[in-house]
Amino acid sequence: MAQFTININGASHQIDVAADTPMLWVLRDHIKLVGTKYGCGIGECGACTIHVDGVATRACSLPISVVGDSKITTIEGLSENNDHPVQKAWIEHDVPQCGYCQSGQIMNAAALLEQNPSPSDTEIDTAMNGNICRCGTYTRVKKAIKTASSQG
Amino acid sequence: MTFFKTNYNRRSFLKSSAAAGGGMLLGFSWLASCTPTDEQLAQIPEEWFNINAFLKIGDNGIVTIMSPNPEIGQNVKTAMPMIVAEELDVDWSNVVVEQAGLDTAKYKRQLAGGSQSIRQGWQSLRMAGATARRMLLEAAAKEWNVPVAELTTSKGIISHPSGKTAGYGDMASAAAQVPVPEGIELKDTKDFKIIGTPTKNVDGPKITKGEPLFGLDYQKEGMLIAMIVHPPSFGMKLKSFDDTTARAMPGIKDIFTIDSLPEGVESQWSDVNAFPQLVAVVGNSTWEVMKAKKALIVEWEVNTKGENTVEYKKGLTKLIEKSAEEPARKDGSPEEAFKNASKIIEKTYSAPFIAHNTMEPMNFFAHVSADKAELAGPVQTPEYLSKTVSNVLGLPEEKISIMMTRMGGGFGRRLYGHFGVEAAVISKKANAPVKLIYTREDDMTQGTYRPAYEVKYSAALDENNNLTGFKVNGAGIHESPVFENRFPAGTVNNYVADKHTLDSNISTGAWRAPRSNFIACAEQSFLDEVAEAAGKDPIEFRLELFNNAIANPVGEDNDYDAERYAGVLKLVKEKSNWGTKREGVYSGVSAYYCHNSYVAQIIDLVMENGQPKVQKVWCAIDCGIVVNPEGALNQIEGGIIDGIGHAMYSNMTFTDGVPDQNNFNNYRLIRHKEAPVEIESFFVKSDIDPTGLGEPSLPPVAAALSNAIYAATGTRVTQQPFVDNVNLDKSTL
Ligand code: FES
Ligand code: FES
């Protein structure tokens, strides 16, 4: 066990866990922020996507020991009032079905738009390819990203 | 208008009372039907009198619908309350939908979402809304001293021609005193205002904020985390284990074996489970338990022989080479028809085992103490789970509560609730509240798969290219995929359907649109080939067959309506660009009927770097009245993407009983890049009661794809996953 101080959604947290504990489980088990989902644990599905200094990162494959001073943002911290352009577009296009993969899709899409405010279809496909949706919401995800990008 | 009774033998389906804090509370059964069949009348199911849903109209006019129906991703949590609100005649913006507090005795009987839930709830939900409205009207009539018949409602306002108006909130407390009417009138479907209006998912904003909704998000004070280790191979069982290292690891509380279905315990259909004996690891946090799980040394022993994919495939092939002892259906003389045929077309199709792979892996919370068990989690069959838990723990069912959480996908997987039983057994043994979590690997290698199937079709054409004989012979693991009474049965004079099953120690279960998910692809791919052999346009060829079934149906058990079937085909043809040549664009068509709904689809694809890329899917669907077009479209699109994805990429294979795939690095699911660029769906206008939506769009789409691939490449793809069995340039995959 080791002590870590990490910055999550603008607040500082003291956490006492093994150094190899993935941020996914730190968030879910220790900080009780469960919006970040477990889907595969090996970086293959994107359900656990968070932002580390604004960059989309798979929390299941990010040990707490490498986080350091980086600023972590989770779905809960993406906006104050559920009003990030991506969240608004998601509601407008009624994207979710079961909803389980959607935190990850939203976080990945938000990071994409941060870096590339008006992505082409191919750029969207490439950036989102690591986020699996078992319910098959892909066409709506793409439409919502386009809407968010024009609002952005 | 239709008049319905709200009671039978003086037992009412509804109960009203004053709501705490003012207003009225109407309890009703989500399941009761207002137009029971004779059979149902003879013995009205007890569930119909079980109040498991509530409608509250507050003094402030806010309508709260407490639904016992958990959300599985099929939009029932939105669509079902819309039905209540329609008959109640309120403004949807004043409606709040809540998941009922399921751990109270009142809600003990819950039902799960499914393609059929809207069908089942359709009448009881309308009855509840209409009854509440009627009681509000009676309260107003009494207060204003006017006849009820003179009152009208609109958007939650009651009006009288004299100019008097009142909101539902103003009358709600008085309405609580009005006796529940004996009968009520339901709206004419043409007067619907909410039903048929695209309405957003009521949980949408919670999902986009990442609120805790799912079983895996469930937390309880003092809760421990549990994980299981199951045998690595189908056919193996636990021999012994050494937990010296694992037990000493930080955060680990206990490690023990469990049996979730001990011998002698009566099992139910929902207790499918290849591995009832497991090792359980219990500890403080997920990561600690995951690490200890890896440090366990477990010895397994062979119970039954582990199977290999090549072997059971051979087994299936062998079965369909012979006729069944007794055909499942036979019309006319197929032998004659084939003997006299001028052309015979034959083809065999197959599909592998596939896993459900809900994005949220199996999990369940349980807190078992000496005299009660509290469970919470994502399960589609809480009643069955409760029964098995009761049998296994020896606890009476009244002492067991099950709270249903939102489900991160179902597709049939959560019908089989062994993980709930396991959680309960672990909690009892650990003497603590536990949340059992399956890793993705546990989940994918546990079984309950869609079975592997193989089917052989044969068609006989006469010299005028009329279809004179048809044979279908299908085998599958534990079940045959053949539906003997479905199309094209009934359209051809000489027909035979044979069914075979192959036993296996690999467990199987229902997977989104069971059997149809395979057979539709085989049948509709084959008909494409037959149409080509007959020199006919594939749509015209099918329509000809439907015309036969309309004019002169063969046999009596045909379980489809040929006119509705033909209807969706005509609609999709009209809406798409069928028949117009476009450079580099290839099309395929398919149509299928299941879950009481009719679907026809056309796929337009282009070839990109030797790979098919679906540009557009056109989909026509006849699913009766569409309650929520927004949610319905989402369901249809999901089914299409799912259908394309699984036919194209997904594959579960076995070596000596060990699943060769265990996570998304080696099991392929469709991803963003591979999804269709565009999907456009069209509903057949209908005033038939709503039918299935979650499933019907999936089965046919794989054939539209295979037929389009044929148009593009000249290769008939007959084996799923297509990606492994068609000569495409694999380097670009
Ligand atoms: S859980 Fe992290 S990528 Fe799947
Ligand atoms: S919405 Fe269910 S997995 Fe994406």
Side-chain angles (χ1 to χ4, degrees), chain A residues 96-102 105 132-135 137, chain B residues 359:
Chain A
Q97 286 187 38
C98 83
Y100 192 81
C101 72
Q102 299 295 341
Q105 306 272 1
I132 297 177
C133 175
R134 173 68 181 81
C135 297
T137 61
Chain B
M359 280 312 282

Side-chain angles (χ1 to χ4, degrees), chain B residues 476-536:
Chain B
I477 308 287
H478 300 149
E479 66 177 16
S480 166
V482 173
F483 293 93
E484 60 273 23
N485 294 321
R486 286 201 182 157
F487 181 76
T491 68
V492 49
N493 287 331
N494 307 297
Y495 170 91
V496 62
D498 284 322
K499 293 159 91 163
H500 310 268
T501 57
L502 187 65
D503 214 12
S504 168
N505 58 13
I506 302 169
S507 64
T508 59
W511 193 102
R512 196 174 192 175
R515 300 190 279 157
S516 296
N517 59 45
F518 162 70
I519 204 76
C521 176
E523 168 201 299
Q524 290 293 311
S525 301
F526 183 66
L527 284 177
D528 211 68
E529 195 166 343
V530 179
E532 188 186 35
K536 292 174 187 170

Side-chain angles (χ1 to χ4, degrees), chain B residues 537-551:
Chain B
D537 170 81
I539 295 185
E540 291 315 312
F541 175 66
R542 286 171 175 81
L543 290 175
E544 246 174 50
L545 294 178
F546 288 125
N547 282 340
N548 296 348
I550 295 165

